[in-house]
Amino acid sequence: MSTEIARIELSAGAIDTVMVDGEPHVVFRPAVEAIGLDYSTQLRKIRERSWANRRDIPTVADDGKTRQMAAVDVRTFLMWLATVNENKVAESARPTLIAYQRETTAAVEAYWTRGGAVNPAATREQVADLRERLDGVERARLAQERLSAMGVAKQFGLVNDSYVQAMARTELARMNGEEPDIDPADITITADEFLGERGVTGAQLRSARVKLGQTVATLYRARYGKPPQKVKRPINGVHRDVAVYTHRDLDLFETAWAELGRHYDVQTAIGGAA
């Protein structure tokens, strides 16, 4: 199995790293060649040093083929860097060598233990771009968690197919930082939301919630032969199981409201059904 390479940007140049057995390593060849040294010569030196810790790892090259590449742990890399005289490398490569010597430890440690490393010379535009990418990672993580939970709920019959499809489209859109393209009929609705649209509040809401919810649930069972799905929703500061429908079944609410609505003095004020 090939090892995933993570490229970490420094103030000058970059360094390719991999995680080997839970410990970060530096891919040796690109680092050597970045400062203009002969890779074969430096690899031979590493092999001859008792303090060197080298691993041959399978990595995917630019041509898509898997090849064995030498990687050294960070301590070995720093020891090797200490043997390189900055005055004996090409002037054009000198800033990269200095950046390796000064920044490698902090950058590699931050990347693999804190989730990321920031180039100390990064511009405001680069930092803004990094924030945007991090936001995207967070959106993707939350969407994945929600989709996973939705899959479990569907497996146990707690949600119906249309609800799952609507939620999946919503989460996938959010993952990409876009507005979800949802069929209006798939938008969810609860008894509280229906009553809120009709101006029912306070004590009337508490009473109507139970009566309307029971009636709509009965109509739903008559239509589909099963009870409505339930999800956790906050009610008076406490998360409770609440029946959730979609606008495909809005007619069930209208039917129930036509029967119950006359008991609540809100129709005249909001122009609702009698």
Side-chain angles (χ1 to χ4, degrees), residues 81-263:
L81 282 175
T83 69
V84 180
N85 187 337
E86 64 184 69
N87 296 313
K88 292 185 177 181
V89 302
E91 185 176 351
S92 60
R94 200 167 297 157
T96 300
L97 172 60
I98 295 173
Y100 281 178
Q101 292 173 328
R102 291 179 177 175
E103 302 170 24
T104 294
T105 301
V108 175
E109 180 185 23
Y111 182 90
W112 289 107
T113 64
R114 302 178 187 175
V118 178
N119 184 333
T123 65
R124 288 188 176 184
E125 290 76 14
Q126 290 172 323
V127 172
D129 178 67
L130 178 60
R131 287 198 184 100
E132 184 176 345
R133 282 187 286 160
L134 289 174
D135 288 344
V137 170
E138 180 65 11
R139 286 196 303 269
R141 183 186 66 80
L142 292 174
Q144 186 176 21
E145 289 178 356
R146 293 189 185 107
L147 289 173
S148 177
M150 195 60 58
V152 172
K154 181 180 179 182
Q155 180 181 356
F156 287 95
L158 301 178
V159 294
N160 59 36
D161 289 341
S162 62
Y163 182 79
V164 171
Q165 292 171 8
M167 292 303 297
R169 284 195 293 271
T170 299
E171 296 304 337
L172 290 173
R174 288 173 177 169
M175 186 184 301
N176 294 319
E178 303 170 352
E179 288 298 319
D181 181 17
I182 302 177
D183 185 333
D186 287 328
I187 296 175
T188 60
I189 187 170
T190 65
D192 273 27
E193 291 165 349
F194 181 88
L195 293 168
E197 292 174 357
R198 279 151 181 76
V200 182
T201 60
Q204 284 194 331
L205 175 60
R206 291 190 289 273
S207 170
R209 173 193 297 141
V210 175
K211 295 178 181 178
L212 183 73
Q214 291 174 342
T215 303
V216 174
T218 298
L219 295 172
Y220 186 92
R221 282 192 293 269
R223 173 175 289 179
Y224 297 106
K226 61 181 181 180
Q229 64 201 43
K230 291 189 175 183
V231 298
K232 293 289 186 182
R233 289 287 178 89
I235 297 179
N236 297 329
V238 179
H239 278 77
R240 305 182 186 279
D241 288 329
V242 176
V244 176
Y245 307 82
T246 69
H247 277 63
R248 296 181 187 279
D249 296 311
L250 193 57
D251 62 310
L252 302 182
F253 282 90
E254 298 293 354
T255 298
W257 182 247
E259 173 63 26
L260 300 173
R262 65 178 183 271
H263 299 295

